[in-house]
Amino acid sequence: MAARRSRIPATKYPVERFTLDNGLRVVLTPDRSAPVIGVAVVYDVGIRSEPEGRTGFAHLFEHLMFQGSENLEKLAHFRHVQGAGGTFNGSTHLDYTDYFETLPSNALERALFLEADRMRGPRLTEENLRNQVDVVKEEIRVNVLNRPYGGFPWLTLPPVMFDTFPNAHDGYGSFDDLESATVADAADFFRRYYASGNAVLAVSGDIDVAEATELVSRHFGDVPARPAPQRPDFTEPDLSAERRTSYTDALAPLPAVAGAWRVPDPVTDFAGYLPYVVLAEVLTDGDASRLVERLVQRDRTVTSLGGYLGFMGDPFDVRDPTALLLQAHLPPGGDVDKVLRTIDEELDRLATDGLTDGELARTQARMATHLLRDTDAVLGRALRMAVLEQQRGEPGLLNELPRLVGEVTEEQVRAAAATVRPERRAAIEVIPGGAR
């Protein structure tokens, strides 16, 4: 008798798409249920795009874009958004950088003006550059250098798995590269990557489509047209033998380990990629998941465990090459080799014996719940649609993701597990140096 599949609810958010003459792609998704809007601008430049000698530039630019723009002085963006009762931020990812606001719907034009103004040009002065280099350096100190397990594993594992500079380098950047940056370097980076043809604008929430279209055209239509740059080639071959290394973290009190395995291309082979997204959740999501039940509860060989797709945990907004990651923290004196062997055993058992009754349906229901929750807020919807438009030209895929996750079969999950082999693994061990 066939296993009963859970029924996954679907969303039906409307999608309107158009492209301005300057190349800016626009996605509108109206929802009149609350007087709130989410506005997101996503630029197709991330950590992997930055050239050698300019490590950390993608993240540095995220900071520079808040330091004033063509018609606005420093801190004006903050004041105008917060003065309208809104919130704002930006973030840097492997494959893109985003800037976003949540505002009352009567502040739509204000948000569009602010984003269009800095798309024309941020205030790239020596004072702003030096100030923000110092801010980024302090962020590196706080988040990596002076924190236990800083950068583990998102900064420490890629250079083990990958050989090419785009995939392997430190995305936060070296102090030498940051300190040597000039205003001319920053201006060149802006001209190359912050082009209207390299960006997507998404607006979600309480909007009238015709009015929003007119406002977008009014504020972004005269942004100078610049085409998207040639995207670097990020491809490199899969591993044919296990790679493993370790390092001592002077601040870490306990050992830790992370392993990663390459997965199919998340854009061009989405059907082949999805089973790995589900597999990660089967293995690690919740107390009833495979590895949590075995390693945390039964064997007690680890104290915490996590699994996800993408080095920054972003399974649906990352390009190839990417990986399935598993990471664990161990108790005092923990045996990393034993933990890795147990993971291999559980993957073999899953590939051979399959899933237990209800295991897949339970996992898919949890995944669908997370997907629906993440896009229930207008900003989450705008951000997800902007990236889906940018990387796939399919912002409406947001409506399909819960259903597609729910359609992954047990056979597909088992087949994915069978490829997660020790000889394809890159692993990094944290040796504690901070234990008393």
Side-chain angles (χ1 to χ4, degrees), residues 129-348:
L129 178 61
R130 298 277 70 86
N131 176 269
Q132 293 311 302
V133 165
D134 288 342
V135 169
V136 170
K137 287 168 58 181
E138 184 61 20
E139 190 173 321
I140 294 171
R141 292 187 188 100
V142 170
N143 291 338
V144 180
L145 301 179
N146 297 324
R147 171 180 291 188
Y149 312 104
F152 170 78
W154 76 278
L155 292 178
T156 56
L157 192 49
V160 182
M161 170 166 268
F162 298 119
D163 296 320
T164 64
F165 174 82
N167 298 312
H169 76 276
D170 183 341
Y172 250 136
S174 76
F175 281 17
D176 287 343
D177 284 355
L178 290 168
E179 289 168 352
S180 66
T182 66
V183 172
D185 294 330
D188 180 67
F189 193 85
F190 177 80
R191 280 193 300 269
R192 182 182 304 181
Y193 294 109
Y194 278 75
S196 53
N198 207 36
V200 174
L201 164 69
V203 183
S204 174
D206 184 22
I207 58 171
D208 174 83
V209 170
E211 178 189 14
T213 300
E214 192 278 326
L215 289 173
V216 168
S217 300
R218 180 191 307 172
H219 289 284
F220 286 89
D222 63 351
V223 174
R226 298 198 311 279
Q230 183 69 37
R231 189 179 304 118
D233 183 7
F234 302 145
T235 59
E236 55 182 282
D238 195 359
L239 299 185
S240 56
E242 183 181 19
R243 294 183 181 182
R244 186 168 164 187
T245 190
S246 63
Y247 68 98
T248 299
D249 184 334
L251 300 176
L254 297 170
V257 66
W261 297 259
R262 288 280 296 275
V263 295
D265 189 315
V267 176
T268 64
D269 187 13
F270 192 51
Y273 174 77
L274 270 178
Y276 291 86
V277 182
V278 177
L279 172 63
E281 302 299 314
V282 167
L283 293 172
T284 65
D285 186 31
D287 290 343
S289 62
R290 290 274 175 135
L291 293 180
V292 173
E293 193 278 331
R294 172 77 187 272
L295 290 166
V296 179
Q297 297 175 355
R298 193 196 324 169
D299 296 355
R300 299 190 177 182
T301 51
V302 308
T303 57
S304 65
L305 183 76
Y308 46 94
L309 270 290
F311 286 89
M312 301 179 77
D314 42 9
F316 299 119
D317 51 7
V318 66
R319 293 191 176 104
D320 190 68
T322 190
L324 182 156
L325 274 77
L326 298 173
Q327 67 178 82
H329 290 77
L330 284 65
D335 186 338
V336 166
D337 289 324
K338 183 177 181 180
V339 170
L340 292 176
R341 283 197 306 270
T342 304
I343 290 172
D344 294 336
E345 288 173 11
E346 288 298 316
L347 285 162
D348 285 343

Side-chain angles (χ1 to χ4, degrees), residues 40 49 59 85 91 98 100 125 147 155 173 218 260 303 321 370 398:
S49 303
H59 179 224
S91 58
D98 56 26
F100 47 87
T125 66
R147 171 180 291 188
L155 292 178
R218 180 191 307 172
T303 57
H370 294 315
L398 175 143

